[in-house]
C-alpha cells in the first residue's frame, strides 16, 4: 500500500524540517511512504526547506487556507494512486508515534476514516482551559448539526482510505473544513473510528495557532452552508 | 419641485448614464441594464410625482409613501448585498481551483525534470 502524509504548511520554516524528519520511514503493511507538503503561499522558506528535507512539495502561489491546501494534497494523492492519506500538522503539534495506530484500522480494512482525538486516553499537553471549553462546545454543536458523535471535532491528525478521499468533497477553503469533513463522513455514512493521539501545545504553536474566537465564525459558516444546501 | 428632488434627479441621471456607458463599452449586459433602468425609472417617477408613492403605499397597505420607498430600498440593498456576496464566493472558489491546478502542474514539471 502507498501512503501519502499530507502536510498543509503556511509559514512554518521554523518547524517544517523537524516535522518532516520525525515522520516514520517504515510502517507495517505499507511499502511506500511519501510526505507531501502543500506550501500555501508561504512568504518564508517553508517550501525550499521542505524540498531539502525530501518531501514532494505542491506550491500554492497565493495563500488559500488549510482546507484548500488539504484538498490539493488529496486530489494529488488520488490522481497518483495512493491508497491511504494521513494529514499531519507542520507546526510540531502532532506526534509521528501516533501514525501507526492511526492507519492500522484502515490498512486492516476495518474503517474508511480514522480521526485523532486528544480526549480519549492520551492527552493534550499544555492546552488552555478556554480551548478545552471551545472544543467541548464544538463536540456538542457537531452532534446537533451534523449528527455525528466524536470526542474531538477539530483535530488535524486524521487518516483516509482512497475511497474516503474520493467520497469527501471539500468546499471550505479555510478552517471550516474540519467541521465539513465530519459532516460529510456522517452524510455519506463512511465508517470511521477515533484513535487517541497526543497534541502538544508549545509556545511556538500557540503563537502561530488559532484564536478561540475563530470558533464562532466556523459555526456560523457551517450553519449558513447547511441552510443553503 | 423641491431641492431634494432636484439633486435626486441629477444623481439618478448620472447613475443611469454610467450604466448606459457600461453597456456601450460592453461591460454590462442588456439584461442588467434593464434591471437598473427599471430601478432608476421608478426613482425618477417618485422624485417628480411624490404623490404616486403615497398612492402605492395605501394600495399595498403601508401607511406613508416615504415608508414604501425605504422598505423597497432596503430590500433592494439586501438583495444586491447577497448578489455581491455570492459573486465573491464564486470568485474565491475559482481562484482556489486555479491555484490548485497550477500547484499540481508545477509538481508534474518538476518530477519530469528529475
Ligand atoms: N495550507 C495552509 N496551512 C495552514 C494555514 N494556516 C495554518 N496552516 C497549517 O495548518 C496546521 C494547523 O494550523 P494551526 O493554525 O496551528 O491550527 P490548529 O492546530 O488547528 O490550531 P491550534 O490548536 O490553535 O494550534 C499547521 O500545519 C499550519 O501550518 C493556511 O492558511 N494554509
Ligand atoms: Mg496548531
Amino acid at each position: 500500500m502507498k501512503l501519502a502524509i499530507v502536510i498543509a504548511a503556511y509559514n512554518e520554516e521554523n518547524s517544517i524540517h523537524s516535522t518532516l524528519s520525525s515522520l516514520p520511514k517504515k510502517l507495517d503493511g505499507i511499502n511506500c511512504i511519501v510526505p507531501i507538503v502543500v506550501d500555501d503561499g508561504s512568504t518564508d522558506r517553508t517550501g525550499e526547506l521542505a524540498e531539502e528535507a525530501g518531501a514532494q512539495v505542491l506550491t500554492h502561489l497565493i495563500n488559500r487556507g488549510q482546507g484548500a491546501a488539504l484538498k490539493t494534497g488529496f486530489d494529488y494523492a488520488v490522481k497518483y494512486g495512493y491508497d491511504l492519506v494521513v494529514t499531519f500538522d507542520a507546526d510540531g503539534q502532532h506526534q509521528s508515534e501516533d501514525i501507526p495506530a492511526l492507519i492500522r484500522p484502515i490498512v486492516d480494512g476495518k474503517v474508511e476514516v480514522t480521526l485523532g482525538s486528544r480526549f480519549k486516553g492520551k492527552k493534550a499537553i499544555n492546552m488552555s482551559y478556554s480551548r478545552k471549553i471551545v472544543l467541548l462546545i464544538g463536540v456538542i454543536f457537531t452532534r446537533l448539526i451534523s449528527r455525528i458523535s466524536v470526542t474531538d471535532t477539530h483535530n488535524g491528525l486524521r487518516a483516509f482510505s482512497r475511497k474516503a478521499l474520493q467520497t469527501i468533497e471539500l468546499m471550505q477553503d479555510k478552517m471550516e473544513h474540519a467541521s465539513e469533513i465530519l459532516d460529510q463522513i456522517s452524510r455519506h455514512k463512511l465508517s470511521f473510528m477515533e484513535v487517541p493521539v497526543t497534541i502538544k501545545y508549545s509556545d511556538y504553536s500557540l503563537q502561530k495557532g488559532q484564536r478561540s474566537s475563530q470558533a464562532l465564525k466556523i459555526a456560523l459558516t457551517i450553519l449558513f452552508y447547511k441552510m443553503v444546501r | 419641485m423641491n431641492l431634494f428632488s432636484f439633486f435626486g434627479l441629477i444623481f439618478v441621471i448620472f447613475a443611469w448614464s454610467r450604466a448606459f456607458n457600461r453597456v456601450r463599452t460592453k461591460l454590462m449586459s442588456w439584461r442588467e441594464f434593464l434591471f437598473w433602468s427599471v430601478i432608476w425609472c421608478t426613482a425618477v417617477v417618485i422624485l417628480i410625482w411624490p404623490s404616486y408613492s403615497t398612492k402605492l403605499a395605501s394600495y399595498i397597505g403601508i401607511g406613508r409613501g416615504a415608508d414604501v420607498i425605504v422598505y423597497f430600498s432596503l430590500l433592494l440593498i439586501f438583495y444586491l448585498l447577497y448578489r455581491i456576496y455570492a459573486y465573491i464566493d464564486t470568485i474565491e472558489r475559482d481562484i482556489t481551483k486555479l491555484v490548485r491546478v497550477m500547484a499540481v502542474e508545477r509538481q508534474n514539471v518538476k518530477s519530469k525534470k528529475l
Side-chain angles (χ1 to χ4, degrees):
Chain A
M1 278 184 136
K2 260 171 93 179
L3 164 70
I5 302 182
V6 172
I7 304 180
Y10 179 52
N11 290 345
E12 301 281 10
E13 65 179 1
N14 292 314
S15 60
I16 190 72
H17 194 95
S18 55
T19 301
L20 284 168
S21 52
S22 79
L23 295 178
K25 305 283 173 290
K26 254 203 198 121
L27 288 164
D28 279 348
I30 304 290
N31 43 33
C32 164
I33 305 175
V34 179
I36 297 175
V37 171
V38 185
D39 172 17
D40 194 17
S42 298
T43 49
D44 65 4
R45 298 179 59 228
T46 302
E48 268 172 73
L49 293 176
E51 220 148 73
E52 270 173 41
Q56 298 246 19
V57 178
L58 300 171
T59 312
H60 278 184
L61 292 176
I62 45 179
N63 181 255
R64 300 310 296 157
Q66 197 192 12
L70 289 179
K71 183 167 160 56
T72 299
F74 290 174
D75 285 6
Y76 186 83
V78 168
K79 186 171 171 197
Y80 289 97
Y82 288 88
D83 306 291
L84 197 62
V85 165
V86 166
T87 59
F88 202 84
D89 276 3
D91 58 2
Q93 285 189 291
H94 292 163
Q95 283 6 88
S96 58
E97 297 82 63
D98 287 328
I99 293 181
L102 195 70
I103 61 168
R104 189 82 267 147
I106 298 180
V107 173
D108 292 345
K110 282 200 202 113
V111 293
E112 303 294 342
V113 184
T114 52
L115 305 165
S117 171
R118 69 199 102 171
F119 300 117
K120 270 200 136 190
K122 290 204 186 177
K123 49 191 184 278
I125 298 173
N126 287 334
M127 184 166 52
S128 66
Y129 266 103
S130 63
R131 180 54 57 91
K132 224 176 244 176
I133 292 168
V134 168
L135 287 171
L136 181 68
I137 296 173
V139 166
I140 297 170
F141 177 83
T142 305
R143 196 169 300 185
L144 289 174
I145 299 302
S146 302
R147 292 163 202 289
I148 179 168
S149 162
V150 291
T151 59
D152 190 355
T153 49
H154 288 73
N155 196 312
L157 189 49
R158 311 181 183 87
F160 301 88
S161 70
R162 186 180 172 78
K163 182 185 155 205
L165 293 179
Q166 286 167 329
T167 312
I168 293 172
E169 184 70 47
L170 285 185
M171 298 286 286
Q172 299 295 335
D173 285 352
K174 305 276 158 10
M175 287 299 175
E176 286 81 1
H177 71 277
S179 305
E180 197 184 22
I181 287 173
L182 294 175
D183 193 57
Q184 298 215 4
I185 289 175
S186 157
R187 181 140 44 92
H188 298 298
K189 302 196 167 56
L190 287 168
S191 55
F192 74 97
M193 188 174 150
E194 283 195 296
V195 175
V197 300
T198 306
I199 305 285
K200 270 193 194 140
Y201 284 80
S202 62
D203 287 344
Y204 174 72
S205 87
L206 281 174
Q207 171 237 323
K208 287 215 66 209
Q210 304 299 307
R211 307 247 164 277
S212 290
S213 51
Q214 266 280 100
L216 191 64
K217 178 183 160 251
I218 292 176
L220 290 176
T221 311
I222 293 297
L223 276 177
F224 178 76
Y225 277 94
K226 278 240 133 185
M227 275 181 335
V228 293
R229 184 167 60 82
Chain B
M1 189 189 285
N2 60 26
L3 207 59
F4 175 75
S5 332
F6 177 71
F7 283 112
L9 269 183
I10 289 184
F11 172 75
V12 167
I13 290 167
F14 167 73
W16 205 351
S17 73
R18 300 303 315 204
F20 184 70
N21 213 21
R22 280 180 74 82
V23 178
R24 234 174 20 95
T25 52
K26 299 212 162 67
L27 289 169
M28 189 188 266
S29 68
W30 279 101
R31 253 184 53 196
E32 266 176 283
F33 182 66
L34 199 68
F35 170 79
W36 286 109
S37 296
V38 169
I39 286 169
W40 295 133
C41 279
T42 319
V44 167
V45 170
I46 289 175
L47 282 168
I48 300 180
W49 300 284
S51 59
Y52 274 139
S53 68
T54 317
K55 259 191 214 145
L56 184 69
S58 60
Y59 183 69
I60 54 180
I62 299 174
R64 292 183 314 169
D67 289 348
V68 178
I69 297 170
V70 171
Y71 292 160
F72 273 103
S73 311
L74 267 181
L75 270 183
L76 183 70
I77 288 172
F78 275 125
Y79 171 69
L80 289 178
L81 263 183
Y82 166 77
R83 281 284 301 271
I84 290 174
Y85 176 83
Y87 181 59
I88 291 178
D89 198 60
T90 312
I91 292 179
E92 289 261 349
R93 280 178 209 292
D94 288 348
I95 292 176
T96 299
K97 270 188 217 155
L98 268 179
V99 167
R100 178 168 297 134
V101 169
M102 286 161 93
V104 173
E105 225 17 72
R106 271 164 73 124
Q107 176 60 33
N108 262 346
V109 173
K110 255 191 282 173
S111 41
K112 279 209 190 96
K113 269 194 203 138
L114 290 181

